Amino acid sequence: MLVAGVGIGATPFVTDVSQPPQSGLVHWPYLTQIEEFEALPGPSADAPMPTAESLAPLLDDAFSSVKGTVAISVRDGMSGEELYAQDGTELLKPASSLKTVTAVAALATWGPGYRIPTRVVAGHGDGEVVLVAGGDVTLTRDGSGYYDEAAQLTDLAAQVRDAVGGDVTTLTVDTSIFVDDPVAVGVKPAEIAAGYTAKLTPFMVDGGRLDPTAPHYSQRADDPTGYAAEQLADLLGASQVVDGSAPEGAEELGVVHSPNMQRMAEMAMTSSDNLLTDVLARHVAIATGEEASFAGAASATLATLESLGMTTDGVVLHDGSGLSQDNLLTASMLSELVAYSVAGDADVTGISASMPVAGYSGSLNDRFEGESDAHGEVRAKTGTLNEVGSLTGFVVTADGRWLTFSFILNGHRDGYGAEQALDRAAAVLAACGCA
């Protein structure tokens, strides 16, 4: 089935959504639980609201051992009212808390059901086919790759071979959907060498990972597109791979689709996948008519936030993942965005299912040591860079009041101590009977 859709400020597009979504919208408080956790009771409008006077000493104590700048913003999740702030409007490095921003922007512009197409079309001459990259980096060779529910090159190749009646001689690769802009300002080469991300291109297999079974941070191909193209050429029987562009109006020979936008947001957020999040930011740019570069994605993301009513004064973005050391955000904006995204527009409420869960999933799986009251209760996006730590998410207090929060630490010298302080602060909110 083909449906028309419109991103914020974008030209109408048509996309194939014939494959049903694997994840639907998730509205608070209907969130996934595992058996050892009791179901969350959900927020109550009648629950007492914490006061700044009651929150201040609790949060001050949680961060008392941390050196550097501490920014705090806590909001009532129902009204969005900021209940307590400490340097909440100070511009600081957010690290991976920025992924929350990108995920919300991607869901707001494309909707949760959109899937990225990767197409092969007829070439300029006999024996040539053209891979038209769509910006899907989750592709896998045969279904046993890094990303769940990813499209398969074997499927794409089979469609093409059926359409042309056998092997092809030349595979041309068209990557024009993204600007050739592989590394964001503020990202050091060592981050790529360590496998924290890869050079950003619109056609990849397993996010460029050389071993899709390796841990999350693992070695990536120096030329991710070339690495993926070699695998597709092998499946097609093509003896030559070249760069080029697709003929105008070329016949489609095969197409596969990424997981839906909701699922990709979940994968990006839960495991803090830098590359995938930066790709989602590029798609925000595409949806809003900006060029698909790091700069275009940043501009598009800010415009999208403003269209949602967020305050972006002074915010500086250089990527969508938070890996850049040059990003600047405020804790107040992040807590406001969480309040909006979980209770606001239906397209973005699925962000609630994308947050790691304390003591259970993703980047919070091994956090909150000894904070058993917070296990399964705190849902938040982590952020970690050198001398930077952050935690942004939501929780229901012991009184039954729903709170959103963002904590940002800059300039600390103790990474483990910073994590403990962030976890203590979130756990304080979970245990709060502090009206």
Side-chain angles (χ1 to χ4, degrees), residues 73-150:
S73 177
V74 179
R75 293 180 184 271
D76 175 51
M78 291 188 172
S79 67
E81 176 187 352
E82 192 166 48
L83 304 178
Y84 177 71
Q86 173 184 309
D87 292 328
T89 59
E90 183 164 352
L91 291 162
L92 297 171
K93 299 176 184 180
S96 283
S97 278
L98 176 57
K99 289 182 173 68
T100 307
V101 172
T102 303
V104 169
L107 290 169
T109 51
W110 287 102
Y114 175 69
R115 295 173 180 268
I116 302 167
T118 300
R119 307 180 188 277
V120 174
V121 301
H124 296 270
D126 292 341
E128 180 193 9
V129 299
V130 183
L131 180 286
V132 182
D136 179 10
V137 301
T138 70
L139 290 158
T140 179
R141 180 184 176 99
D142 58 9
S144 58
Y146 182 82
Y147 294 101
D148 292 337
E149 305 163 22

Side-chain angles (χ1 to χ4, degrees), residues 22-393:
Q22 300 299 311
S23 300
L25 293 179
V26 180
H27 294 273
W28 176 269
Y30 304 107
L31 304 174
T32 302
Q33 293 288 329
I34 61 175
E35 291 181 0
E36 68 180 86
F37 298 139
E38 295 180 2
L40 297 181
S44 169
D46 297 325
M49 187 182 297
T51 64
E53 292 74 20
S54 62
L55 290 171
L58 298 173
L59 293 170
D60 288 349
D61 182 63
F63 290 111
S64 61
S65 62
V66 177
K67 306 299 182 183
T69 301
V70 179
I72 301 170
S73 177
V74 179
R75 293 180 184 271
D76 175 51
M78 291 188 172
S79 67
E81 176 187 352
E82 192 166 48
L83 304 178
Y84 177 71
Q86 173 184 309
D87 292 328
T89 59
E90 183 164 352
L91 291 162
L92 297 171
K93 299 176 184 180
S96 283
S97 278
L98 176 57
K99 289 182 173 68
T100 307
V101 172
T102 303
V104 169
L107 290 169
T109 51
W110 287 102
Y114 175 69
R115 295 173 180 268
I116 302 167
T118 300
R119 307 180 188 277
V120 174
V121 301
H124 296 270
D126 292 341
E128 180 193 9
V129 299
V130 183
L131 180 286
V132 182
D136 179 10
V137 301
T138 70
L139 290 158
T140 179
R141 180 184 176 99
D142 58 9
S144 58
Y146 182 82
Y147 294 101
D148 292 337
E149 305 163 22
Q152 301 177 31
L153 292 186
T154 51
D155 180 12
L156 183 59
Q159 293 179 49
V160 174
R161 288 169 64 91
D162 285 346
V164 302
D167 290 351
V168 299
T169 57
T170 301
L171 172 63
T172 298
V173 181
D174 183 344
T175 58
S176 58
I177 192 170
F178 284 3
V179 171
D180 185 14
D181 179 24
V183 182
V185 172
V187 174
K188 300 175 182 178
E191 308 283 6
I192 296 176
Y196 295 141
T197 190
K199 294 177 181 177
L200 185 54
T201 68
F203 177 48
M204 294 190 192
V205 172
D206 302 310
R209 292 171 178 82
L210 296 178
D211 180 0
T213 67
H216 178 52
Y217 298 123
S218 59
Q219 187 177 4
R220 315 289 181 108
D222 185 60
D223 176 11
T225 290
Y227 179 63
E230 288 175 3
Q231 296 184 62
L232 181 58
D234 177 59
L235 293 168
L236 290 170
S239 59
Q240 181 177 225
V241 178
V242 298
D243 296 329
S245 59
E248 186 174 351
E251 176 190 2
E252 183 177 283
L253 304 175
V255 60
V256 292
H257 294 84
S258 72
N260 63 56
M261 191 61 74
Q262 169 65 33
R263 183 70 183 112
M264 288 192 290
E266 291 172 10
M267 292 189 288
M269 290 277 287
T270 302
S271 63
S272 203
D273 191 316
N274 295 308
L275 177 72
L276 181 54
T277 315
D278 281 327
V279 167
L280 296 184
R282 295 271 175 128
H283 283 281
V284 175
I286 293 168
T288 57
E290 295 273 4
E291 71 170 16
S293 63
F294 278 108
S299 176
T301 298
L302 287 175
T304 301
L305 293 182
E306 290 164 5
S307 76
L308 300 179
M310 301 299 110
T311 302
T312 63
D313 294 347
V315 171
V316 177
L317 302 182
H318 289 286
D319 65 14
S321 64
L323 192 58
S324 172
Q325 292 273 0
D326 295 342
N327 296 314
L328 293 173
L329 286 181
T330 69
S332 182
M333 192 206 81
L334 286 170
S335 69
E336 182 184 20
L337 182 65
V338 175
Y340 171 84
S341 63
V342 179
D345 189 297
D347 280 347
V348 303
T349 55
I351 203 70
S352 59
S354 305
M355 294 278 189
V357 181
Y360 167 40
S361 65
S363 55
L364 287 183
N365 182 60
D366 298 322
R367 295 273 293 265
F368 288 83
E369 296 176 7
E371 301 287 358
S372 59
D373 289 343
H375 289 180
E377 303 289 330
V378 173
R379 294 159 185 272
K381 182 69 201 77
T382 56
T384 305
L385 290 173
N386 288 338
E387 299 187 12
V388 178
S390 63
L391 194 65
T392 298

